Amino acid sequence: FKRIPLEEKSRDELYQMGESFNHMMNLLETNYDKQKQFVANASHELKTPLTVIESYANLIKRRGIDNPEVVAESVEAIHSEAIRMKDLTQQLLLLAKHGEQWKLSLERFDLYPLLKESVQAFRNAYSREITLQGEEIIAYADKQKLKQLIYILIDNAIKYSEQEIRVSLVRDGAKGRIDVEDNGIGIPESDLPKVFDRFYRVDKARTRKSGGSGLGLSLAKELSEALGMKLTLESTEGKGTTASIHFQAES
Ligand code: ADP
């Protein structure tokens, strides 16, 4: 590779160099803007529960000394906001690893018991009706990460529906699929491509009440990519949503 001094380069070459330099700067700027947006969104999301915690702590200080009801109500609110912050920071930490190699701990295992355990955990925590259908299907995956992925999908089904939720494990030849189906509010078609974006929520007011942060599905997508699986979402507004994880089944 021979270095040619700038003054000896042709006009075309100089023009091309300028073009690629511009292109590079644009890429850097876009990435920088994205990072800035991410930090701004994350700070905003963390600030909301912190403000609630602060105001309830103040309430205890001012009126809590001889008022057990105020204390009980405040402690309850502080506790749930603290849990929300903990979940949020956990998701943020995982997402911050974006681009880095995820450390996977791969093993062959039957997915059915994993699903059974997850479904049971949600039934206990939320007293909701969640059915599980399927048979043994062996996959080669990271148990912990797959569990996280399934948790995000069931958690969404719980947040955005009120009726029964159906989880199923389906085999189609060499392919396997986990479906999480709800008959909830569904997602408008125009929002569907955007729900995988970080911090995107269809209805901010409504999802704030349900404790959403807009990070679940973007994390779910990254988890499924890291696992070599594919995540798809089918939804009809007002009818319901089916989230599916597609994977290679082991024989
Ligand atoms: P959130 O923490 O807000 O649930 P997600 O990234 O998991 O964030 O989802 C993004 C948005 O997609 C949600 O705010 C919600 O509007 C919509 N959504 C996700 N799952 C469902 C579902 N099962 N039914 C209806 N809407 C959903």
Side-chain angles (χ1 to χ4, degrees):
F1 177 72
K2 189 169 163 261
R3 274 204 137 162
I4 303 170
L6 271 185
E7 57 274 18
E8 285 174 30
K9 285 192 185 287
S10 71
R11 225 183 145 132
D12 271 1
E13 280 174 317
L14 284 173
Y15 181 77
Q16 256 175 22
M17 276 174 69
E19 283 285 283
S20 19
F21 180 73
N22 268 346
H23 180 64
M24 217 167 68
M25 286 311 284
N26 281 342
L27 276 180
L28 282 173
E29 247 166 52
T30 315
N31 269 333
Y32 181 65
D33 284 349
K34 274 191 185 159
Q35 296 262 6
K36 253 176 45 185
Q37 193 58 46
F38 182 72
V39 173
N41 285 341
S43 315
H44 177 79
E45 289 302 322
L46 287 170
K47 213 173 141 199
T48 315
L50 262 181
T51 311
V52 179
I53 289 175
E54 191 190 14
S55 63
Y56 275 105
N58 267 330
L59 190 66
I60 295 180
K61 264 167 79 179
R62 279 193 288 112
R63 303 206 293 128
I65 303 299
D66 37 30
N67 200 335
E69 269 164 36
V70 168
V71 175
E73 186 202 339
S74 309
V75 167
E76 192 60 43
I78 288 175
H79 188 222
S80 71
E81 290 300 310
I83 291 176
R84 194 170 142 201
M85 277 186 79
K86 200 176 83 184
D87 290 348
L88 188 62
T89 41
Q90 217 166 14
Q91 290 185 330
L92 285 171
L93 283 173
L94 278 171
L95 278 171
K97 287 192 173 161
H98 170 74
E100 283 176 33
Q101 202 69 34
W102 293 72
K103 266 207 204 94
L104 293 180
S105 162
L106 297 169
E107 56 184 309
R108 287 184 81 230
F109 60 94
D110 178 8
L111 293 189
Y112 192 79
L114 183 91
L115 281 176
K116 202 170 156 193
E117 202 183 292
S118 311
V119 163
Q120 196 53 46
F122 275 98
R123 277 185 197 137
N124 293 340
Y126 293 90
S127 314
R128 288 281 300 263
E129 198 173 329
I130 312 175
T131 62
L132 173 63
Q133 264 194 347
E135 45 173 322
E136 174 188 298
I137 301 186
I138 310 286
Y140 187 63
D142 182 311
K143 244 187 196 164
Q144 229 20 61
K145 297 231 159 32
L146 184 60
K147 205 166 162 180
Q148 258 173 330
L149 172 56
I150 293 164
Y151 267 50
I152 293 173
L153 303 183
I154 301 182
D155 190 49
N156 275 350
I158 286 179
K159 280 191 295 193
Y160 304 111
S161 77
E162 278 165 4
Q163 292 150 339
E164 176 196 272
I165 293 161
R166 291 172 300 284
V167 178
S168 37
L169 185 56
V170 190
R171 187 191 255 281
D172 178 10
K175 294 206 171 101
R177 204 177 75 230
I178 301 168
D179 288 336
V180 178
E181 197 182 344
D182 68 61
N183 293 110
I185 56 175
I187 303 171
E189 210 181 325
S190 55
D191 288 292
L192 211 45
K194 296 184 238 164
V195 291
F196 294 103
D197 292 351
R198 287 171 191 187
F199 298 107
Y200 190 83
R201 288 176 295 206
V202 172
D203 177 344
K204 291 199 168 59
R206 189 182 55 199
T207 51
R208 181 170 299 289
K209 228 173 71 202
S210 62
S213 65
L215 287 176
L217 284 178
S218 67
L219 185 56
K221 190 159 172 248
E222 292 207 14
L223 281 166
S224 51
E225 278 166 13
L227 290 168
M229 298 179 175
K230 196 173 163 213
L231 176 63
T232 58
L233 212 56
E234 272 176 36
S235 190
T236 311
E237 196 178 6
K239 285 237 166 90
T241 305
T242 303
S244 308
I245 307 169
H246 307 257
F247 60 93
Q248 202 63 39
E250 301 265 308
S251 44

